[in-house]
Amino acid sequence: MTNPTGRRVTANISLTLDGHCSGPGGPADMGAIVSYATTDVARAHLARIHEKATTAVLGRLNAEGFLSFWPTVAADENADPRDRAYAKWLSDAEKVVFSTTLTEAPWERTRVVNAPVAEVIADLKADGEGDILVNSSASVIKALLEDDLIDRLYLMICPEITGGGRRLFADGLPASKWTLAYQEAGELGEMALVYDRVR
């Protein structure tokens, strides 16, 4: 199937060594990941993920969490410039939030959708320009992996084992092949990896 707009679907997420995107305490258990979020490698990775993106796609939990954090960073003149650049991009970008419970958009330039992920992404790809970035929302990324709709994966690997928690790569996903487009290791052992889907 051809993509007339050339829009790519990209996804960004951080994982532990044992493949979890959150710890055993639930979605908010991010201790094994958050401690690596302010390294130079992580901040350079953050700059990389939104460089070509014009649309941010989020699940409800991330949208609400991001809303409570990133606008304050955008307004903080003392924040790291890379963090501020991302915060401003996120504020200005078109945002699509998947939710079955929200009745109104939690943010400016945001629309809430309660529809199959693949259909919404197909509509986004058919119009506009720039990458469509699925931002740290495991449920949305999983759905897109199941339908083989992700063109690029931005991964941060954090050198910790949680022993439990939510997994991104669960059994049952369709087989796929990826090529390494970029890699960088940090002083704490964290790794930024960029993989492109081989089609």
Side-chain angles (χ1 to χ4, degrees), residues 5-38:
T5 64
R7 300 193 83 182
R8 295 184 306 175
V9 178
T10 67
N12 167 59
I13 200 160
S14 296
L15 302 173
T16 59
L17 279 182
D18 53 347
H20 295 112
C21 48
S22 62
D29 183 359
M30 302 294 288
I33 288 169
V34 168
S35 54
Y36 301 93
T38 57

Side-chain angles (χ1 to χ4, degrees), residues 89-160:
W89 170 82
L90 188 59
S91 179
D92 293 341
E94 169 193 28
K95 289 170 285 294
V96 177
V97 176
F98 284 92
S99 176
T100 58
T101 57
L102 287 177
T103 55
E104 52 186 64
W107 222 336
E108 290 182 359
R109 288 178 285 285
T110 302
R111 66 186 164 104
V112 176
V113 294
N114 180 5
V117 172
E119 288 180 16
V120 174
I121 294 298
D123 288 345
L124 288 171
K125 286 183 76 169
D127 190 33
E129 56 186 36
D131 288 351
I132 301 160
L133 172 63
V134 185
N135 213 331
S136 301
S137 296
S139 60
V140 180
I141 296 171
K142 270 186 173 184
L144 291 171
L145 286 169
E146 287 168 3
D147 288 325
D148 194 17
L149 292 175
I150 295 180
D151 302 304
R152 170 168 276 198
L153 274 172
Y154 294 96
L155 302 176
M156 272 296 300
I157 307 300
C158 304
E160 296 196 20

Side-chain angles (χ1 to χ4, degrees), residues 163-181:
R166 187 172 196 182
R167 287 189 181 279
L168 179 66
F169 300 111
D171 287 349
L173 290 174
S176 58
K177 185 174 181 179
W178 301 77
T179 184
L180 183 64

Side-chain angles (χ1 to χ4, degrees), residues 46-65:
L46 188 66
R48 201 175 296 115
I49 68 168
H50 70 90
E51 186 175 47
K52 296 181 180 177
T54 55
T55 302
V57 174
L58 301 154
R60 178 187 60 83
L61 285 176
N62 267 12
E64 291 176 340

